[in-house]
Amino acid sequence: MSYQLIDGKQIAKEIRAELKEEVSQLAEEGLKPGLAVILVGNNPASETYVRSKIRASEEIGIHSRLIRMEETVQEEELLNQVKELNEDPAIHGILVQLPLPAHIDPDKVIATISPSKDVDGFSPVNMGKMMIGQNGLLPCTPYGIMQLFKRTGISLEGKHAVVVGRSNIVGKPMAMLLQQANATVTLCHSKTADLAHHTRQADILVAAVGRGEMITKEFVKPGAVVIDVGMNRNEAGKLVGDVNFEEVAPVCSAITPVPGGVGPMTVAMLMKNTVTAAKKLWQRAK
Ligand code: GUN
C-alpha cells in the first residue's frame, strides 16, 4: 500500500510564515508579542528544544527572552521569577521548560503562570477550559497534531482514534481534542492489558509513549493514520520515534516521520499561542 507522508516540517513552515505576516501587521498597530522562556539547569534535550523555540521567535519577529537558572535554584526564586513575568507588559507568553529538577514541584510552578500567558496550555485553568470546550490556550503538541489533520484533509468525524500515553502534556489533552472533533476515543497507557488489541482497532493511532520504536506492524490496522509523538535515542544514538517507521509505514494510509513530523508543529503552535495571547492581553489593556 502506498502511504502519505505527513510533512510536519513543511506545514510548520507554512504556519510560521502566516504568523510572521500577522506579527508584522501587529507591529504596524504597535503590538510586539513577547515570549519568555525559563530554562533551569542544562539538560541537553531541553537546551535543544529551547534553542529551537528562541530561533522560531526571532524568525517570526516575536520578542524573546531566555532566562537561565541554576540547577540548584530554590523553588521560591523560580516562582518569584514567574510572578515578575506575569506582571511584565512586554511579555505575553511564559514557558518553563520541563522537566524541572526533583526539588521543584512542577505543578506549583505551572499553576503560578498567569493563565492568560500560559502559552504551553498546561495550567489548571487552560486544561479545565479545554475539558469543557471553552476558548483558552491549548497544549502545543496536541494542538499541532490537530493542525496536521486539518491541513492534510484527514477527517476525524466518526473515526476510532486510539491514543497511547496519558501524560498531561500530550496523551490526555490529545484524547480530549480528538473527542471534540467527533472521533470516538480510546486512551491506552502503560497498564493497558493487550495493548495491540486496542491499537489494531484504530483508524487514527497517536503514539505518545516515550519508548523507541515499540509500535511495530502488529499494533497497526492496515490503512490507519499513524501519528508518532516519540523522540527517543536508540542504542546507536539515532533519533527515533515511538513507531517502527520502516515496518509500519507500508501498512498505513498516512504517517508522520521522526524527525520532521510532530516536533516542528509543537514549536509552531507555541508561536501561534504567543501571538494569540498577545492579541488578547492587548485587547484587554485597551
Ligand atoms: N518538555 C517537553 N515538552 C515540553 C513542552 O511542550 N513544554 C515545556 N515547557 N516543556 C516540555
Side-chain angles (χ1 to χ4, degrees), residues 29 36 38 80 116:
E29 297 166 36
I38 302 179
N80 285 337
S116 58

Side-chain angles (χ1 to χ4, degrees), residues 46 49 53 95-99 120 122 140-141 169 266:
S46 293
Y49 296 144
K53 292 167 185 180
L95 179 151
V96 180
Q97 187 65 29
L98 303 175
D120 258 331
F122 293 166
C140 303
T141 300
I169 294 184
T266 299

